[in-house]
Amino acid sequence: MSIPIKRIEKDFILNMLYTEQIPIIYLHNREEFILKVEKYTKEKIYFKSDRSIGDLVAGKTIDLIFTYNAITISFAVEMNAVQHDSHIQEEHFIGNMPEFLYKNLDRSYSRVSFPPDMELKFSLLGQQYILPFPQLSDLGELALLLEPDPQVKPKMSTFKEILDTMAAWIQDYADGYKVVLFQDGIPLSFEEQLISKSGKALFLPTITNTFPQDETYPTKYLITEGIFTEYLKSTGVNPTYFEKATAYFLDSKKGAGIRADLWIPMIFEHYVVGSIRVWIKQAQRGPLAYTIIEPLYRYAHELALALKEQGYFDDRHIKDTFIPAYGVDISVSGLRFIYPVSPISASMTLNSTIALKIITPQRTISINAQIVRCYKKKNSIFFGCNFLDIIPEDVRFLFEYIYGKPFTEPGVSLIAGHV
């Protein structure tokens, strides 16, 4: 992988760029510009190009590469205004001092600015809905609980039929239950927020001073004390108060007369859209049985599917399969694009796979890509993607289209990469 150059070596290399006038390559609009460093300060680098670049503006970040001692090095600089003008002046311009230089580049080709005549669209593989509910990045073993089970699902189709069947079944195990659909996509109670974070069940078979341990119950579907304290940490609770906060949480249930408690997330696709809670208050009842957890997960899922059939999620259905996005830069091995902060961008998690359409006047390239980097800037999310299955014909076309030269294997001037 790319290695950031340490400060002392970075300062030395920057000085070599200036004193030895090492050529720096900037690929832009299918042209290769040669830059050299005129001078530099602690905060700025002053460049001169071999010819006018023309359309660079202040605030734009550009990617540059050069070779020093047979090592290819890359860095990115944010353009600054010359003489406080809003546009870059002719072939002279200023960039902010980069935070890092990178060597041992792990990319095959250099990235360039997204061509103005190229369009980009993306699609969320396997997703038909964009919902405002908490989203789970990976269902993991929970996916097994969302499969139909004939023993759990008798002949029932509507939400009410499933609810009535579940209510009759629960009477053998608990003396109370409640089904909650999150309004406006927001889990309100502490327990709802807790199960929405992990998708796991909050299982307290009897209200004691601890959470279930592996020695007593398998915890692969359960919120453990470790998960509980991690959630406390994410909400800003000081670690020194974890023990007191946990004790207060459990004591508050005792004070409310709860002798046993279970909260199950209602999962639809990768979203937590509600919860099922069952409890015991009566002293004569025994502890909650661990064996009811898997059936309740399936009941919860069946309720969610019934909501789908009744049109509950229709207004969040993705009608346009491919969604336009703003391309930032691209190489033969990947690209970076921007999409506004929204339920759609929230659904595109790190390492997830999306489908892309790269549209040019001559050709449309359809390809899958993996999101390997994402970060927020103001009201937008930047996504860096690596192509997964680009065919040789598309590699050749894309190379010639974005670099403006005949296809070659990666060479010195194009060894850089993507996100």
Side-chain angles (χ1 to χ4, degrees), residues 169-243:
W169 173 80
I170 284 176
Q171 290 179 2
D172 293 334
Y173 302 95
D175 52 31
Y177 81 94
K178 184 178 183 180
V179 174
V180 173
L181 302 178
F182 298 155
Q183 296 299 312
D184 300 319
I186 302 172
L188 296 179
S189 72
F190 178 87
E191 290 89 347
E192 289 169 354
Q193 295 173 40
L194 180 61
I195 63 174
S196 297
K197 190 78 172 178
S198 65
K200 295 193 173 187
L202 175 61
F203 178 55
L204 301 170
T206 57
I207 305 299
T208 63
N209 295 324
T210 61
F211 287 80
Q213 306 294 320
D214 269 320
E215 294 78 18
T216 52
Y217 299 99
T219 58
K220 62 181 179 179
Y221 301 139
L222 306 183
I223 290 171
T224 62
E225 188 164 357
I227 294 175
F228 185 82
T229 55
E230 277 298 312
Y231 178 72
L232 291 177
K233 183 179 179 181
S234 73
T235 62
V237 176
N238 190 306
T240 58
Y241 294 104
F242 283 173
E243 188 174 338

Side-chain angles (χ1 to χ4, degrees), residues 47-306:
F47 296 98
K48 180 177 181 179
S49 172
D50 60 344
R51 61 196 189 282
S52 177
I53 299 175
D55 62 346
L56 290 181
V57 294
K60 179 181 178 66
T61 297
I62 65 174
D63 295 282
L64 306 173
I65 55 175
F66 64 93
T67 301
Y68 179 72
N69 284 346
I71 298 174
T72 300
I73 298 171
S74 75
F75 63 100
V77 294
E78 181 182 349
M79 292 294 95
N80 244 270
V82 172
Q83 299 177 348
H84 306 290
D85 198 322
S86 61
H87 288 269
I88 305 303
Q89 297 287 319
E90 298 179 353
E91 69 270 22
H92 298 271
F93 53 89
I94 306 171
N96 289 337
M97 179 63 68
E99 184 177 1
F100 296 107
L101 306 183
Y102 293 91
K103 60 183 178 181
N104 289 358
L105 303 176
D106 56 356
R107 314 165 193 166
S108 302
Y109 297 94
S110 178
R111 59 183 174 186
V112 298
S113 298
F114 213 79
D117 56 353
M118 178 180 280
E119 296 178 55
L120 177 67
K121 294 184 178 182
F122 68 90
S123 177
L124 309 175
L125 290 179
Q127 265 188 263
Q128 298 179 328
Y129 296 86
I130 298 296
L131 304 177
F133 299 97
Q135 186 177 17
L136 303 173
S137 59
D138 182 13
L139 291 178
E141 292 180 312
L142 292 173
L144 299 174
L145 300 180
L146 307 184
E147 297 176 355
D149 185 343
Q151 294 181 340
V152 171
K153 183 186 176 185
K155 286 290 183 180
M156 50 186 178
S157 57
T158 68
F159 188 91
K160 184 178 185 307
E161 287 173 336
I162 299 169
L163 191 62
D164 290 344
T165 303
M166 184 187 73
W169 173 80
I170 284 176
Q171 290 179 2
D172 293 334
Y173 302 95
D175 52 31
Y177 81 94
K178 184 178 183 180
V179 174
V180 173
L181 302 178
F182 298 155
Q183 296 299 312
D184 300 319
I186 302 172
L188 296 179
S189 72
F190 178 87
E191 290 89 347
E192 289 169 354
Q193 295 173 40
L194 180 61
I195 63 174
S196 297
K197 190 78 172 178
S198 65
K200 295 193 173 187
L202 175 61
F203 178 55
L204 301 170
T206 57
I207 305 299
T208 63
N209 295 324
T210 61
F211 287 80
Q213 306 294 320
D214 269 320
E215 294 78 18
T216 52
Y217 299 99
T219 58
K220 62 181 179 179
Y221 301 139
L222 306 183
I223 290 171
T224 62
E225 188 164 357
I227 294 175
F228 185 82
T229 55
E230 277 298 312
Y231 178 72
L232 291 177
K233 183 179 179 181
S234 73
T235 62
V237 176
N238 190 306
T240 58
Y241 294 104
F242 283 173
E243 188 174 338
K244 289 183 178 179
T246 302
Y248 175 80
F249 173 73
L250 296 170
D251 287 344
S252 65
K253 293 187 177 295
K254 295 177 187 177
I258 302 295
R259 305 177 66 85
D261 209 6
L262 171 61
W263 296 70
I264 298 284
M266 185 185 298
I267 300 173
F268 175 70
E269 300 216 346
H270 279 68
Y271 298 96
V272 181
V273 301
S275 67
I276 296 175
R277 182 192 184 188
V278 300
W279 64 84
I280 292 175
K281 286 188 175 182
Q282 298 176 30
Q284 64 270 28
R285 280 191 178 267
L288 278 173
Y290 176 83
T291 54
I292 71 172
I293 292 176
E294 291 192 20
L296 277 174
Y297 262 105
R298 291 193 170 95
Y299 273 121
H301 187 52
E302 292 300 328
L303 288 170
L305 293 179

Side-chain angles (χ1 to χ4, degrees), residues 127-131 269 308 313-321:
Q127 265 188 263
Q128 298 179 328
Y129 296 86
I130 298 296
L131 304 177
E269 300 216 346
K308 172 192 171 184
F313 305 116
D314 281 358
D315 61 339
R316 298 285 181 165
H317 188 263
I318 301 174
K319 296 179 176 63
D320 186 358
T321 306

Side-chain angles (χ1 to χ4, degrees), residues 250-406:
L250 296 170
D251 287 344
S252 65
K253 293 187 177 295
K254 295 177 187 177
I258 302 295
R259 305 177 66 85
D261 209 6
L262 171 61
W263 296 70
I264 298 284
M266 185 185 298
I267 300 173
F268 175 70
E269 300 216 346
H270 279 68
Y271 298 96
V272 181
V273 301
S275 67
I276 296 175
R277 182 192 184 188
V278 300
W279 64 84
I280 292 175
K281 286 188 175 182
Q282 298 176 30
Q284 64 270 28
R285 280 191 178 267
L288 278 173
Y290 176 83
T291 54
I292 71 172
I293 292 176
E294 291 192 20
L296 277 174
Y297 262 105
R298 291 193 170 95
Y299 273 121
H301 187 52
E302 292 300 328
L303 288 170
L305 293 179
L307 289 174
K308 172 192 171 184
E309 293 302 317
Q310 292 171 207
Y312 189 76
F313 305 116
D314 281 358
D315 61 339
R316 298 285 181 165
H317 188 263
I318 301 174
K319 296 179 176 63
D320 186 358
T321 306
F322 279 87
I323 305 164
Y326 178 79
V328 178
D329 45 46
I330 186 171
S331 80
V332 179
S333 55
L335 57 79
R336 184 168 48 144
F337 69 92
I338 303 173
Y339 197 79
V341 173
S342 67
I344 292 178
S345 58
S347 71
M348 293 187 286
T349 55
L350 196 63
N351 297 322
S352 62
T353 300
I354 59 176
L356 299 176
K357 284 188 182 294
I358 302 170
I359 304 166
T360 73
Q362 296 81 19
R363 184 174 189 159
T364 296
I365 297 174
S366 298
I367 187 172
N368 290 336
Q370 183 181 37
I371 297 174
V372 295
R373 187 183 180 203
C374 50
Y375 58 93
K376 182 179 178 181
K377 192 172 183 181
K378 295 183 179 178
N379 294 319
S380 297
I381 307 292
F382 287 70
F383 296 95
C385 306
N386 283 342
F387 299 148
L388 295 178
D389 51 8
I390 187 166
I391 60 176
E393 292 82 357
D394 287 340
V395 170
R396 181 179 295 275
F397 172 81
L398 195 56
F399 183 102
E400 295 177 354
Y401 191 85
I402 65 176
Y403 298 128
K405 59 177 65 179

